[in-house]
Amino acid sequence: HVIVSYLFYGRVYAFRCTLLLLVKEPYRFAVLSYPETFENINLRKHERISCIIVAELKAHDQSYEGIVSDMSKGGCSFEFNRSDQRGFPGLKVKEEVIISLQLKEKGEFTVFNTVIRAIHTDKEGMMCGLQFLTSDFSETDVESMKKLAEFILTLQNG
């Protein structure tokens, strides 16, 4: 018997099954029985919602256009391609950046202070997992978070 567990989009999935066959040559390959039960645990504080939102990330006095592919009250995923950029910026985890989101079609951009929590790059694109930073002393942060909460509510209601 084996326990299989993996992380996918902020959730841990796990199940018990039986190892039916193990092939070692020419490649390692395992055949597992179908699991009877399946468990998952959400590691995120807020549920992510898939979306496509025009966005702009500002770091090191430069702007990078891209999209936000998912978001929650706590953060978002910003993605952009190498093909339509000057190249990828030298970003680091825990670095603070500013992101502007166009929450309403043809509307003005809403600005958020964020911190980078994850960075994934491949040949074509780069994805940054961003956490929203808020300050109770900043009217801009409070207003931006109100707009975000309204926008998420419209996404959830379809």
Side-chain angles (χ1 to χ4, degrees), residues 3-20:
I3 297 174
V4 177
S5 62
Y6 58 94
L7 179 66
F8 185 70
Y9 283 107
R11 289 184 171 272
V12 175
Y13 295 91
F15 58 89
R16 292 178 190 268
C17 61
T18 304
L19 178 63
L20 301 175

Side-chain angles (χ1 to χ4, degrees), residues 31-43:
V31 178
L32 306 174
S33 66
Y34 193 82
E36 291 181 25
T37 61
F38 202 83
E39 298 178 32
N40 72 66
I41 301 168
N42 187 3
L43 298 178

Side-chain angles (χ1 to χ4, degrees), residues 131-153:
Q131 178 184 2
F132 297 126
L133 298 176
T134 57
S135 168
D136 294 336
F137 304 109
S138 169
E139 283 186 37
T140 306
D141 286 351
V142 172
E143 190 61 34
S144 293
M145 293 310 285
K146 283 182 184 178
K147 289 179 181 179
L148 179 66
E150 291 171 8
F151 181 74
I152 288 174
L153 193 61

Side-chain angles (χ1 to χ4, degrees), residues 10-73:
R11 289 184 171 272
V12 175
Y13 295 91
F15 58 89
R16 292 178 190 268
C17 61
T18 304
L19 178 63
L20 301 175
L21 176 66
L22 183 61
V23 177
K24 293 183 181 179
E25 293 292 329
Y27 301 102
R28 294 194 72 156
F29 180 74
V31 178
L32 306 174
S33 66
Y34 193 82
E36 291 181 25
T37 61
F38 202 83
E39 298 178 32
N40 72 66
I41 301 168
N42 187 3
L43 298 178
R44 299 186 190 276
K45 291 179 185 175
H46 306 282
E47 191 69 31
R48 290 279 175 114
I49 301 169
S50 294
C51 58
I52 297 178
I53 300 170
V54 175
E56 181 179 80
L57 182 113
K58 292 182 183 175
H60 311 294
D61 297 324
Q62 295 212 13
S63 296
Y64 299 89
E65 293 179 358
I67 62 161
V68 166
S69 57
D70 66 45
M71 70 176 356
S72 72
K73 292 179 185 176

Side-chain angles (χ1 to χ4, degrees), residues 69-83:
S69 57
D70 66 45
M71 70 176 356
S72 72
K73 292 179 185 176
C76 63
S77 294
F78 176 78
E79 299 180 16
F80 53 102
N81 295 325
R82 180 186 305 264
S83 60

